[in-house]
Amino acid sequence: MSLKVRMFDIFKHLETDEDIQGFLQEVVSTGDTSDFIHALNIAAKAKGMSEVVRRAGVTRATLYNSLSEDGNPRFETISKIVNALGCKLAVI
């Protein structure tokens, strides 16, 4: 009997702004900077890259480059993406 294994794509399970917010909060509390950038990429896929580009006011290339594995986004870009995802950055 063979076991079928499928990749778990979390972005398919982030259906609401609240789901995205909870996901990003968890990553911020348990991960590092690169984990957060990766989480933003996942959240942007869940929201829809075109929607995030439109809301953030950045180009598609900027979004993809900033959130790539080798990306090094400026704080301003991160802030725009977070806002486009329906979230806010906060220091508590």
Side-chain angles (χ1 to χ4, degrees), residues 32-48:
D32 61 15
T33 303
S34 64
D35 293 333
F36 183 66
I37 304 252
H38 181 69
L40 286 176
N41 190 9
I42 292 168
K45 286 180 187 175
K47 187 78 162 179

Side-chain angles (χ1 to χ4, degrees), residues 49-91:
M49 292 295 211
S50 296
E51 180 70 12
V52 174
V53 163
R54 185 183 65 75
R55 287 184 178 189
V58 298
T59 65
R60 184 174 282 277
T62 296
L63 182 65
Y64 280 102
N65 289 335
S66 295
L67 300 181
S68 73
E69 189 173 314
D70 297 325
N72 188 17
R74 296 176 48 195
F75 180 77
E76 178 182 8
T77 305
I78 290 173
S79 180
K80 286 179 179 181
I81 294 168
V82 168
N83 289 335
L85 292 169
C87 301
K88 296 199 181 297
L89 294 172
V91 178

